[in-house]
């Protein structure tokens, strides 16, 4: 490998890990297997009644800050996911600087609005079949890894098989061309 190619490869790895996730890069993941039902195929796992790709890798969404994709949020306290629609059982913190009006096409929003929707979301019912959940659930955020993202597969809004916003801490670098 030439010195120039080595520098580009080093920069790509450093840049990708530096601007990933927590530092604000807009990341997408398409890993829910639309129309799949257990038993799941090899390389997939089950989330409720849907399967998801275990080895899915997020990708950068690009530079357009106004592009919209499906908003789904994950709750660490319940290990559950939801599609954000503003429908029955969902509310936002009083005084938050976001409203359900930013949602387009049923459950899509820009990355910045997706982050705000998850941060201020309260789910007041319907997460578990048993009564173990204490409502309202308010610790929502964008998924930070594939198993977390798998927990919202099959949660409605036609989001399976579509790109959803995620916030992984790193993204595997793609092949760098000279």
């Amino acid at each position: 490998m030439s010195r120039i190619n080595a520098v580009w490869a080093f920069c790509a790895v450093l840049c990708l890990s530096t601007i990933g996730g927590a530092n604000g890069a807009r990341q997408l993941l398409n890993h829910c297997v639309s129309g799949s039902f257990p038993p799941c195929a090899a390389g997939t796992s089950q989330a409720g009644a849907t399967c998801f790709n275990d080895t899915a890798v997020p990708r950068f969404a690009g530079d357009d800050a106004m592009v919209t994709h499906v908003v789904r949020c994950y709750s660490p306290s319940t290990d559950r996911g939801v599609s954000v629609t503003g429908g029955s059982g969902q509310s936002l913190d009083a005084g938050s600087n976001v409203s359900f009006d930013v949602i387009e096409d049923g459950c899509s929003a820009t990355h910045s609005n997706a982050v705000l929707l998850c941060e201020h979301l309260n789910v007041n019912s319907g997460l578990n079949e048993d009564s173990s959940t204490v409502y309202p659930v308010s610790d929502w955020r964008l998924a930070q890894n594939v198993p977390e993202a798998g927990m919202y597969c099959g949660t409605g809004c036609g989001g399976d098989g579509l790109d959803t916003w995620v916030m992984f801490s790193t993204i595997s670098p793609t092949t760098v061309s000279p």
Side-chain angles (χ1 to χ4, degrees):
M1 178 183 286
S2 75
R3 179 175 284 203
I4 292 173
N5 287 346
V7 169
W8 277 110
F10 174 77
C11 178
V13 171
L14 179 63
C15 294
L16 288 175
S17 63
T18 301
I19 64 174
N23 296 323
R26 293 182 303 276
Q27 302 169 14
L28 297 169
L29 186 67
N30 183 341
H31 72 301
C32 300
V33 183
S34 184
S36 66
F37 302 97
C40 298
T44 63
S45 292
Q46 181 175 343
T50 307
C51 303
F52 67 92
N53 179 349
D54 291 333
T55 59
V57 176
R59 61 184 173 79
F60 289 113
D63 294 329
D64 185 355
M66 299 309 295
V67 69
T68 63
H69 292 285
V70 175
V71 181
R72 288 178 160 178
C73 307
Y74 172 77
S75 162
S77 69
T78 64
D79 194 30
R80 297 288 177 141
V82 295
S83 292
V84 179
T85 62
S88 177
Q90 294 184 1
S91 64
L92 295 169
D93 295 334
S96 65
N97 54 351
V98 67
S99 75
F100 288 122
D101 293 340
V102 300
I103 298 173
E104 300 177 14
D105 300 322
C107 62
S108 293
T110 64
H111 180 266
S112 59
N113 283 329
V115 170
L116 290 172
L117 286 165
C118 290
E119 287 176 355
H120 295 285
L121 181 66
N122 293 295
V123 173
N124 303 305
S125 63
L127 290 178
N128 291 341
E129 294 75 33
D130 60 28
S131 60
S132 65
T133 301
V134 177
Y135 292 103
V137 176
S138 59
D139 65 335
W140 301 97
R141 59 175 168 72
L142 294 179
Q144 296 177 351
N145 57 53
V146 172
E148 287 180 2
M151 293 299 106
Y152 56 58
C153 294
T155 62
C157 197
D160 290 355
L162 299 176
D163 287 330
T164 58
W165 294 115
V166 294
M167 194 169 289
F168 289 27
S169 60
T170 60
I171 295 180
S172 299
T174 56
T175 304
V176 178
S177 301

